[in-house]
Amino acid sequence: GSVNGLSVVMLGDYSFGVPMRVTARTHAGDKGLLSIDREVELSGPIHDKGVLILQSCLVSLFAHQAPLALEASLVFEQEYNGVEGDSASCAELYALFSSLSGLPIQQGIAVTGAVNQHGDVLPVGGVNEKINGYFKTCQRHGLDGHQGVLIPALNRRHLMLDAAVVQAVAQERFHIYCVAHASEGAELLMGTPFCSDTLAGGAYAPGSILALADKRLQAYRRACQRASEAPEPRHKTTHGAKPQN
C-alpha cells in the first residue's frame, strides 16, 4: 500500500521534480474510494477526477460478480501545499492493488502517469523534471542498479534528460521503464503476473495480482454480510426506576 510518486514543484521560472510517498489503506465497507486530500480540500478538481476514474477501474475489474464491499483511503504523505493534476493516478492505483493483494511494491522505482477507465496509461507533463529530480535523490543515497522510474510509453518521445541520467541508464545503474497499460507496471513493481483474463465462473488465475485482490474483496463482502445479518443488541430496561433531576 505504499509507492513513490513523482511531482513537480514550480517556483517562479524554475521547476524541479521531487518524489512523494503515496499510501493506501483498504477495509470492508460500502463507501468506496476516499481521497483524504480531497476531504480536507488540499486537492484540485483534476486530481479529484482522477480519483473517481480509479473507482471506475476497480469496479470494472472486481464488480463483475458482486458489488464492491470496499472502503479505501488514499493520501499524499506530508503534503501540505495542495495536489493538482492526474499524473499520480497510476501510483495511486498501484498502491490500491498492493493493499488489496498484500504484495509489496519495489520502493526503488518511482511512478508517474495518468490512467483512464480501461487501464491505459496516459502521458503527463513535467516528465523530464520528475526523472532528473528522482535520479538526484537516488544518486545522493547511492545508485545500486535497482532504482528507476516508471513512465507512460507515450512520454518516451518527450525525454530530454541530463547527461548524468543518460550515462547511468547506459551503465544500467538507473532504469527508465515505459508502460502502455497499468497491468505492465503492476507486474514490474510487484513481481507477480497481473492476469487480466478471467477463468470459468469469472475468477482470476490463482496467484495473480487480481486473484489475490479479489480474494481480499470477497472476504470484505462476507464481513459486510455478517454485519448486516447480525441481530441488533437489545437494550436492558430497568422497571420501576424513578427519574432523577
Side-chain angles (χ1 to χ4, degrees), residues 122-157:
L122 308 178
V124 296
V127 65
N128 291 296
E129 291 85 348
K130 293 173 181 178
I131 295 175
N132 288 331
Y134 187 65
F135 172 78
K136 291 177 181 178
T137 299
C138 295
Q139 194 176 40
R140 292 191 185 99
H141 288 276
L143 296 175
D144 58 12
H146 299 288
Q147 299 140 329
V149 294
L150 190 152
I151 67 171
L154 292 173
N155 274 127
R156 183 173 183 173
R157 62 191 181 97

Side-chain angles (χ1 to χ4, degrees), residues 53-102:
I53 290 174
L54 293 182
Q55 173 83 17
S56 179
C57 287
L58 294 178
V59 169
S60 65
L61 288 171
F62 301 112
H64 55 282
Q65 292 179 308
L68 285 180
L70 171 69
E71 290 185 10
S73 60
L74 287 167
V75 67
F76 288 78
E77 300 290 353
Q78 291 192 296
E79 168 53 44
Y80 309 114
N81 297 316
V83 179
E84 181 57 307
D86 59 356
S87 63
S89 297
C90 276
E92 292 171 322
L93 183 61
Y94 296 143
L96 288 168
F97 282 149
S98 175
S99 180
L100 286 171
S101 67

Side-chain angles (χ1 to χ4, degrees), residues 23 27 31 52 65 87 101 122 191 203-204 211 218 220:
T23 61
H27 52 276
K31 295 182 180 179
L52 295 176
Q65 292 179 308
S87 63
S101 67
L122 308 178
Y204 291 110
Q218 290 178 18
Y220 289 167

Side-chain angles (χ1 to χ4, degrees), residues 5-72:
L6 293 171
S7 63
V8 174
V9 176
M10 289 179 285
L11 298 174
D13 295 332
Y14 296 93
S15 60
F16 51 93
V18 293
M20 184 176 296
R21 184 63 57 88
V22 179
T23 61
R25 298 286 288 182
T26 57
H27 52 276
D30 58 5
K31 295 182 180 179
L33 190 55
L34 170 72
S35 170
I36 294 177
D37 294 286
R38 179 179 62 188
E39 293 299 309
V40 298
E41 299 182 354
L42 272 177
S43 63
I46 298 177
H47 175 264
D48 296 342
K49 176 184 176 182
V51 173
L52 295 176
I53 290 174
L54 293 182
Q55 173 83 17
S56 179
C57 287
L58 294 178
V59 169
S60 65
L61 288 171
F62 301 112
H64 55 282
Q65 292 179 308
L68 285 180
L70 171 69
E71 290 185 10

